[in-house]
Amino acid sequence: MSQHRHQSLLKVSSSSLVTTSMEFCPTFKKFKRKDDEFRAFVKRVIMSCFFKIIMISAVGSNAFFTALWTSYDIRYRLFRLLEFSEIFFVSICTSELALKIYVDPTDYWKDGYNMLDVVIIIITFLPYAFRRFLGKQFTYLHVADGMQSLRILKLIRYSQGMRMMITAMRQTVYTVASVLLLLFLLMYIFGILGFCLFGSQDGGDYDNWGNLAVAFFTLFSLATVDGWTDLQKQLDNRDFALSRAFTIIFILLASFIFLNMFVGVMIRHTEDSIKKFERELMLERKMTLMEEKQVILQREQEEVSRLMHMQKNADCKSFSELVENFKKTLRHTDPMVLDDFGTSLPFIDIYFSTLDYQDMTIHKLQELYYEIVHVLGLMLEDLPQKKPQSLEKVDEK
């Protein structure tokens, strides 16, 4: 009986929670912020060049002081200055985080660079938390101090070139993973083969091929072609017959094929990302021009509407006279975009009348040309005609 009551109570509570949540969701969706003007102002401040310069200066100066912090002598002499730079960096970064979350608290977490900023802020506060709660003798405190070098990654947001390279690297993840997997399989095969051929404890090179882990490290040295001659000399001193063929084949496959394939994939995707970045930059410029054009059009429409309103109150007889008065107020530096203005009925009327005047002028010019040609023809008829020379000789005889 008690169990049945308990289940009924759970059902009632769960149903009440569901109903309250269903009631809360539409009210949350209908919720609108009333600080649009201030939020737009904060957004303009964040997106301004001055704010970006402040952030770049803060990150750069903190990186410089962090480099000075690595010297114990300088740390002792400039302790106050280093402490002030640390406080300045932390305050600037937390203020930036708070302002961006205030502007857009939902879409802020969708940007990867914003998440990088959050991770950097967390890493920045780790040493203080460890010293406060775990003491200065905490084992991994030096690791938290060393991770402060990640602060300089905040410069990636303000550099288009670095963002472009990161985009290219993100696009090459699957291809590079496939190349690295093939290289791992190749090293696995040659590691087992090298252990069997050269890793015996009796007369073998046990230090370089004694087990699979050591063989992997040796093969990595061969793949990077770093000190491979010394490794081959140790095998030659032990008179291994297949050692040179083994080394040459692995270097050809690993270094000349797989590593060059890795470099080629990175170069190709980098070129693709550069082209994509240039296209996006052109689109951004076009959008900026379109926005400027819309502003000019809106301003002209307001001016035309103001003129139309003035026509009703002024003594202008026609719209053409009003336009002539308006032209007198223009300067040679004023931009004019007549896309929407050219579709108005008064403008079309004036344009048709101008075409009629042009037709009349061309017709009068043609009539004048015909009259001139007619007069010239009459003048040629009145001139005395000269006889040909053959007729003159016949008359003389």
Side-chain angles (χ1 to χ4, degrees), residues 62 66 69 75 86 89-90 119-151:
N62 185 260
T66 302
W69 175 79
R75 192 193 308 180
E86 183 72 14
F89 175 79
V90 173
V119 171
I120 291 173
I121 290 293
I122 294 173
I123 291 173
T124 301
F125 284 101
L126 280 180
Y128 304 102
F130 287 163
R131 289 187 176 90
R132 177 68 177 83
F133 297 104
L134 301 177
K136 296 182 179 180
Q137 304 301 324
F138 182 62
T139 307
Y140 299 102
L141 183 61
H142 60 282
V143 178
D145 291 332
M147 291 175 66
Q148 302 305 311
S149 59
L150 297 175
R151 298 175 179 182

Side-chain angles (χ1 to χ4, degrees), residues 29-270:
K29 291 180 180 179
K30 293 179 181 179
F31 176 76
K32 294 182 180 180
R33 299 179 62 170
K34 299 180 180 180
D35 54 348
D36 294 334
E37 295 182 358
F38 184 72
R39 186 172 57 173
F41 171 74
V42 174
K43 186 176 182 179
R44 288 196 300 270
V45 170
I46 294 173
M47 300 300 294
S48 63
C49 295
F50 181 70
F51 186 80
K52 293 179 181 179
I53 291 172
I54 291 176
M55 292 302 303
I56 292 172
S57 302
V59 176
S61 61
N62 185 260
F64 175 73
F65 286 119
T66 302
L68 295 178
W69 175 79
T70 57
S71 175
Y72 289 99
D73 192 13
I74 296 176
R75 192 193 308 180
Y76 177 75
R77 293 180 181 179
L78 303 177
F79 175 76
R80 295 297 179 185
L81 182 61
L82 296 175
E83 189 176 11
F84 175 75
S85 68
E86 183 72 14
I87 295 172
F88 177 73
F89 175 79
V90 173
S91 59
I92 285 292
C93 291
T94 52
S95 300
E96 181 196 20
L97 178 66
L99 291 175
K100 288 184 177 180
I101 293 177
Y102 170 76
V103 170
D104 199 351
T106 56
D107 293 337
Y108 177 82
W109 309 100
K110 298 178 182 179
D111 191 358
Y113 295 107
N114 292 334
M115 296 303 297
L116 178 63
D117 292 341
V118 173
V119 171
I120 291 173
I121 290 293
I122 294 173
I123 291 173
T124 301
F125 284 101
L126 280 180
Y128 304 102
F130 287 163
R131 289 187 176 90
R132 177 68 177 83
F133 297 104
L134 301 177
K136 296 182 179 180
Q137 304 301 324
F138 182 62
T139 307
Y140 299 102
L141 183 61
H142 60 282
V143 178
D145 291 332
M147 291 175 66
Q148 302 305 311
S149 59
L150 297 175
R151 298 175 179 182
I152 201 170
L153 294 178
K154 286 183 67 67
L155 292 176
I156 295 176
R157 173 186 292 277
Y158 305 104
S159 175
Q160 295 180 349
M162 286 191 287
R163 291 204 305 269
M164 181 180 61
M165 292 300 298
I166 290 175
T167 303
M169 292 175 62
R170 188 173 65 246
Q171 293 175 353
T172 59
V173 169
Y174 298 106
T175 308
V176 170
S178 301
V179 174
L180 293 178
L181 181 59
L182 288 174
L183 182 60
F184 174 78
L185 295 177
L186 180 69
M187 291 178 66
Y188 175 79
I189 294 170
F190 275 81
I192 298 295
L193 186 60
F195 170 74
C196 296
L197 294 176
F198 318 122
S200 61
Q201 296 182 359
D202 298 333
D205 190 1
Y206 187 78
D207 294 333
N208 294 321
W209 304 96
N211 53 52
L212 188 60
V214 175
F216 260 87
F217 185 78
T218 305
L219 291 172
F220 182 78
S221 300
L222 292 176
T224 57
V225 200
D226 183 18
W228 71 274
T229 54
D230 297 332
L231 295 171
Q232 182 60 39
K233 188 180 293 184
Q234 295 180 12
L235 295 176
D236 291 338
N237 293 332
R238 291 174 173 82
D239 297 330
F240 287 111
L242 301 175
S243 62
R244 294 191 176 183
F246 177 88
T247 303
I248 292 171
I249 292 172
F250 180 77
I251 290 176
L252 287 175
L253 292 175
S255 180
F256 288 90
I257 294 179
F258 284 99
L259 293 182
N260 289 328
M261 188 186 301
F262 175 79
V263 174
V265 167
M266 291 297 297
I267 291 173
R268 184 173 64 84
H269 283 280
T270 302

